[in-house]
Amino acid sequence: MTDTAIDRPSSTDSGAARLTRRMARGAAFLGSEVAIMAGAMSWVSERNLVAAMSNAGGFGVIACGAMTTDLLDAEIAATKALTDKPFGVNLITMHPDLMALIAVCAKHRVGHVVLAGGLPPKGSLEAIKAPREDGSRAKVICFAPTLALAKKLIRSGVDALVIEGMEAGGHIGPVSTSVLAQEMLPEIAEAVPVFVAGGIGRGQAIAGYLDMGAAGVQLGTRFVCANESIAHPKFKQAFIRASARDAVASVQIDPRLPVIPVRALKNAGGELFTAKQREVAQSLDEGAVAMAEAQLAIEHYWAGALRRAVIDGDVEHGSVMAGQSVGMVTKEEPITDIIATLLDEAAEALAARAA
Ligand SMILES: Cc1cc2nc3c(=O)[nH]c(=O)nc-3n(C[C@H](O)[C@H](O)[C@H](O)COP(=O)(O)O)c2cc1C
């Protein structure tokens, strides 16, 4: 292994050993050294961050977002050139070419496919899990928004679940991570590995969720300012300056147009989103678009606004998606350092509990 955190001598050896045991199931499932996933972040989670995360012993996930099949094909190939460690691909269920994107993942023997953005459409789970020429099968990870849906997903054959609270950056549900974890872990953590996401900024929280039965965790916000992240320097600066209360959820302005809330840093872009919702709601009223199309228009808006901030550095008018843990992001640092800090904090917390 390269120079990663888990090799480092620790003053909290009993904690480190406990942490390794607590993470064993999640790490075995992912094929990584530690059960920490860097959640897919559109425009941010590309070859560099994903490969760096997996090389550091964690688990990187490519954000396919609105990519075409050719772009995803190239991104997976480029990531494989940077790491020989396992990584995953996150696909959005409402992508019009979902099945073709699944085929691209199969072509590259991607080991883990994460389905985000809604329940898996008919046939998608079977397609991901179908045996490949060499006999291997991909594992499928889904987001479970409620306990009932978690149980349904497990019955449908998903291999692992992510439960993500409203503290997270990006698209969010209405319930906090701590409540989801308390409600869901005792009921589902035996059946499949469950990864907890949303609002995790320090290792102490990781230790807490592992103690509650999680197999591992998924963080997004904490990894945006990694040296290896290609996010624009202004995007990273905005993270470093922000505090928890700057990361706010978007507001739905028209009850007829249900939009999934997005958590991002407060800026002038919020008003642009309000204007976009008005425009789309009006098209809906006029019968110019159907509801599904209207919702897709909103999703396209977010993809464009995020690109504007992440790639172009327009953090005033673009969308600076960030979770409430943003206040704990204080500097740019190598991803190995971020993981080392998280592991040390988690081990310390577990050691203190043992003592
Ligand atoms: C800038 C940004 C972009 C994101 N884009 C996506 C995405 O494209 N697909 C997805 O499933 N989740 C996306 N997420 C959510 C992350 O994968 C992850 O689950 C979340 O950030 C975890 O919560 P945290 O931000 O509190 O750590 C995004 C999050 C951020 C901050």
Side-chain angles (χ1 to χ4, degrees):
M1 198 185 88
T2 49
D3 178 27
T4 64
I6 50 180
D7 275 346
R8 292 163 14 124
S10 168
S11 58
T12 54
D13 275 342
S14 68
R18 287 179 135 229
L19 181 60
T20 304
R21 281 200 300 278
R22 292 277 202 291
M23 284 189 165
R25 185 186 185 202
F29 172 79
L30 297 170
S32 56
E33 290 162 46
V34 296
I36 301 179
M37 300 167 74
M41 295 178 278
S42 291
W43 303 111
V44 181
S45 297
E46 48 69 82
R47 61 194 75 173
N48 293 290
L49 186 69
V50 174
M53 179 67 185
S54 291
N55 284 336
F59 189 81
V61 183
I62 295 175
C64 173
M67 277 185 205
T68 60
T69 49
D70 285 349
L71 282 175
L72 181 64
D73 194 8
E75 203 54 45
I76 297 173
T79 307
K80 280 166 96 175
L82 296 173
T83 183
D84 54 5
K85 301 277 166 63
F87 61 87
V89 173
N90 176 301
L91 302 176
I92 308 289
T93 52
M94 64 178 85
H95 195 298
D97 285 331
L98 180 65
M99 297 309 267
L101 295 168
I102 291 172
V104 172
C105 294
K107 177 185 134 190
H108 285 284
R109 310 257 180 279
V110 170
H112 300 73
V113 175
V114 185
L115 286 181
L119 290 180
K122 208 166 182 286
S124 56
L125 292 184
E126 292 78 0
I128 294 168
K129 297 182 70 164
R132 296 157 175 176
E133 274 167 25
D134 62 356
S136 68
R137 291 167 191 262
K139 291 170 180 150
V140 59
I141 306 171
C142 286
F143 285 81
T146 65
L147 181 56
L149 285 172
K151 289 181 174 170
K152 188 166 177 233
L153 286 165
I154 293 168
R155 283 196 302 274
S156 318
V158 303
D159 298 293
L161 291 170
V162 177
I163 56 175
E164 182 178 69
M166 47 89 86
E167 299 94 319
H171 291 74
I172 52 170
V175 183
S176 70
T177 307
S178 65
V179 170
L180 288 177
Q182 292 172 73
E183 189 185 347
M184 292 166 81
L185 286 173
E187 302 266 349
I188 57 172
E190 251 178 53
V192 293
V194 180
F195 295 83
V196 173
I200 300 175
R202 294 201 203 284
Q204 285 83 356
I206 296 177
Y209 291 125
L210 291 172
D211 260 351
M212 290 169 73
V217 290
Q218 168 164 302
L219 283 69
T221 298
R222 187 73 176 83
F223 291 119
V224 166
C225 292
N227 285 346
E228 296 88 346
S229 150
I230 58 138
H232 195 282
K234 286 189 181 162
F235 195 84
K236 291 183 178 177
Q237 261 314 311
F239 267 56
I240 289 164
R241 288 199 187 118
S243 61
R245 60 179 58 204
D246 298 322
V248 296
S250 62
V251 177
Q252 177 181 331
I253 59 150
D254 191 317
R256 289 158 307 168
L257 179 62
V259 294
I260 304 164
V262 164
R263 187 175 300 286
L265 299 184
K266 264 184 282 190
N267 66 3
E271 282 148 44
L272 295 179
F273 179 53
T274 304
K276 182 70 192 177
Q277 286 188 80
R278 284 214 182 90
E279 179 198 313
V280 175
Q282 196 179 340
S283 310
L284 200 60
D285 279 350
E286 290 163 357
V289 292
M291 181 58 88
E293 242 180 292
Q295 281 168 327
L296 211 54
I298 297 289
E299 290 317 309
H300 281 146
Y301 169 83
W302 282 124
L306 183 59
R307 186 187 191 287
R308 193 169 172 178
V310 174
I311 305 294
D312 305 339
D314 183 354
V315 293
E316 257 319 292
H317 305 96
S319 173
V320 188
M321 291 183 192
Q324 291 179 335
S325 63
V326 72
M328 290 175 265
V329 179
T330 54
K331 57 176 186 274
E332 217 180 324
E333 56 188 328
I335 208 155
T336 47
D337 288 7
I338 300 174
I339 292 184
T341 303
L342 293 171
L343 292 175
D344 279 351
E345 290 167 347
E348 220 172 276
L350 291 176
R353 251 167 261 177

